[in-house]
Amino acid sequence: MAKLQPVRGTKDLLPEETRRHRHVEETARRVAELYGFGEIVTPIFEFTEVFKRTLGDTSDIVTKEMYTFADRGDESLTLRPEGTAGVARAFISGGLQQQLPLKLFYRGPMFRYERPQKGRQRQFHQVGVELLGVETPQGDVEMIALAAQFLGALGLGERVTLELNSLGDAESRAAYRDTLVAYLSGHRDKLSEDSRERLERNPLRVLDSKDEGDKRVVADAPLLSDSLNAASKAFFDQLLAGLDAVGVAYNLNPRLVRGLDYYCHTAFEFTTTDLGAQGTVLAGGRYDGLIGQMGGPPTSGIGWAAGVERLALMLADIPDPARPVAVIPVGEAAQGVALTLTQQLRAAGVAADLGFSGNLKKRMKRANGVNARIAVMLGDDELARGAATLRDLDSGEQSEVPLDQVAARLMEKDA
Ligand code: ATP
Ligand code: MG
């Protein structure tokens, strides 16, 4: 088979890598639970419509990045490019309005057809949280504090910066939209084709264009913050006061936008300079208009998602998995005893490795290879006495222990 290799932009994760991923995911879940979040698992594919409606026809994701296919029943389905749409769909189809406010955590693979590079894949993983049904800035404060605590728990607190902006309410954005369109129209000839199209359909999206020419035009564009009305300013001030109160530091970044209509008020990103071009590790915002726009009961929401691969790349050493003990039969007679003892240890909750074959030297090498803490040596002499020799592989200390006490002894040392 010519194609016996992973698809471009996808990766096999081997145990060393899955340990790092799991550390990121379990840290996120644990911290989210401290804030009262429970886990939701939605399908990894949805009707294409679910993403078109939530992400908008003009977004990069919808226009260029979705894995969309017709299934055998000719339904148009899409592998999820992000998590919020599925959660919002689940909220609506599951009739979860009665349970508001809802705090949901999710994790799992996402799919986007992008140009693969360091920290950017076609199948990647996210952890994320959504808070539904909270209209006040208190919700925004908690969500950002949760993000900061999560990154702190990973040991990355000093290496990331929180960038923060307000998009204001619908009235403020409508006012800004007019100002922006007037400005961009004056520079139409310098904009990319994509952005000229966005100028007609969704001008705010020009602001997060990655095209260099667009960026130059955008650099001098009027600021959204100058169009905020009093209510929007008050909301933002309460958010900032809340973050100050809980000690979360931020940089105000008036250029940070999310160019979709249902985004409002808070937009934020945690960025790092340690990953080159892929510097955003966590991004989120408030989306009060989204669920209504999807056809559900108008419900406010705020959420964020973090890229597991990018965070895993930043992690230094993570805790070792439980170090096993290595059971080492010396000679034929000990084989059967070794198997029984190994199973007893595992049944008692002690991680135990039994090399499948080989002489003493080979087995000792294997014990080192699996980073064993103790070798349980079963030689003919010991066996004749109904005992085993326990050798601490770090200190070299040895002692003889009756076979029926080995498990108990190793459980003590496990603690
Ligand atoms: P970028 O600007 O890097 O394309 P984005 O705005 O598309 O990011 P979001 O949709 O906000 O990203 O997703 C949240 C997080 O998921 C990102 O900050 C990033 O850490 C991660 N992420 C997004 N796309 C990818 C990808 N293709 N590969 C790996 N991680 C990704
Ligand atoms: Mg992207």
Side-chain angles (χ1 to χ4, degrees), residues 387-400:
T389 298
L390 268 48
R391 182 192 296 175
D392 186 309
L393 292 173
D394 296 327
S395 66
E397 251 172 70
Q398 305 206 148
S399 59
E400 194 169 297

Side-chain angles (χ1 to χ4, degrees), residues 1-8 10 12:
M1 280 243 321
K3 292 203 156 179
L4 219 46
Q5 46 184 295
V7 172
R8 186 167 141 82
T10 71
D12 301 308

Side-chain angles (χ1 to χ4, degrees), residues 21-139:
H21 277 223
R22 244 173 47 208
H23 182 65
V24 172
E25 292 172 0
E26 281 167 10
T27 303
R29 184 188 288 106
R30 178 175 59 76
V31 177
E33 280 174 355
L34 296 176
Y35 286 73
F37 284 71
E39 183 166 359
I40 183 171
V41 177
T42 65
I44 62 166
F45 53 82
E46 298 274 352
F47 292 118
T48 301
E49 209 39 43
V50 169
F51 302 110
K52 280 202 173 159
R53 278 210 215 168
T54 50
L55 298 167
D57 283 337
T58 55
S59 67
D60 279 355
I61 292 184
V62 169
T63 54
K64 300 181 197 147
E65 298 176 0
M66 292 203 311
Y67 278 93
T68 298
F69 60 97
D71 74 0
R72 288 170 193 276
D74 245 354
E75 293 285 5
S76 179
L77 304 181
T78 294
L79 298 182
R80 64 180 183 195
E82 54 93 52
T84 306
V87 172
R89 194 273 309 139
F91 173 78
I92 298 168
S93 62
L96 304 181
Q97 302 86 287
Q98 306 310 322
Q99 300 181 28
L100 292 175
L102 259 180
K103 297 177 170 183
L104 297 170
F105 165 85
Y106 65 83
R107 50 163 286 277
M110 306 292 163
F111 306 85
R112 297 184 193 178
Y113 192 84
E114 307 200 63
R115 194 166 68 77
Q117 44 199 299
K118 183 182 168 196
R120 190 179 295 287
Q121 293 173 203
R122 291 183 174 177
Q123 176 173 341
F124 63 101
H125 299 78
Q126 286 184 339
V127 291
V129 282
E130 312 290 353
L131 172 62
L132 302 179
V134 177
E135 286 165 21
T136 57
Q138 174 73 32

Side-chain angles (χ1 to χ4, degrees), residues 150-376:
F150 160 53
L151 296 170
L154 288 176
L156 302 177
E158 304 292 310
R159 293 166 67 194
V160 295
T161 307
L162 167 58
E163 308 271 329
L164 185 62
N165 193 23
S166 170
L167 309 177
D169 59 11
E171 185 188 81
S172 304
R173 283 198 314 287
Y176 178 63
R177 193 185 154 110
D178 293 343
T179 319
L180 182 66
V181 169
Y183 168 81
L184 291 177
S185 301
H187 296 82
R188 219 187 125 79
D189 49 327
K190 291 180 222 129
L191 292 175
S192 67
E193 205 179 309
D194 278 352
S195 282
R196 283 202 290 268
E197 158 115 21
R198 290 179 187 126
L199 181 53
E200 312 299 329
R201 298 177 62 187
N202 194 342
L204 260 69
R205 285 217 32 97
V206 177
L207 297 176
D208 48 24
S209 168
K210 289 184 177 136
D211 177 89
E212 289 305 321
D214 292 348
K215 281 187 185 170
R216 278 192 293 275
V217 175
V218 164
D220 295 322
L223 292 178
L224 213 164
S225 48
D226 294 330
S227 298
L228 293 186
N229 60 20
S232 299
K233 276 193 192 130
F235 189 101
F236 198 39
D237 287 343
Q238 285 178 62
L239 167 61
L240 300 185
L243 292 176
D244 291 339
V246 296
V248 173
Y250 49 82
N251 277 349
L252 294 182
N253 178 353
R255 300 276 170 209
L256 180 67
V257 288
R258 318 221 120 208
L260 295 171
D261 284 346
Y262 54 77
Y263 281 116
C264 59
H265 295 296
T266 315
F268 61 95
E269 286 185 359
F270 283 82
T271 60
T272 177
T273 53
D274 296 351
L275 291 178
Q278 271 57 251
T280 305
V281 294
L282 185 153
R286 180 171 272 278
Y287 50 81
D288 289 348
L290 180 137
I291 289 176
Q293 181 169 316
M294 281 178 86
T299 306
S300 46
I302 175 166
W304 56 253
V308 174
E309 278 78 4
R310 292 185 195 177
L311 292 171
L313 278 169
M314 291 182 76
L315 290 183
D317 290 335
I318 56 170
D320 263 352
R323 292 176 70 188
V325 303
V327 178
I328 300 185
V330 186
E332 271 309 303
Q335 300 284 342
V337 181
L339 182 58
T340 321
L341 179 64
T342 305
Q343 286 304 102
Q344 274 170 11
L345 292 175
R346 291 169 177 163
V350 177
D353 181 80
L354 176 60
F356 292 106
S357 65
N359 57 20
L360 180 60
K361 190 171 160 218
K362 199 167 156 200
R363 286 178 188 270
M364 287 306 290
K365 204 170 152 198
R366 179 176 166 84
N368 283 322
V370 298
N371 193 25
R373 57 193 172 103
I374 286 170
V376 181

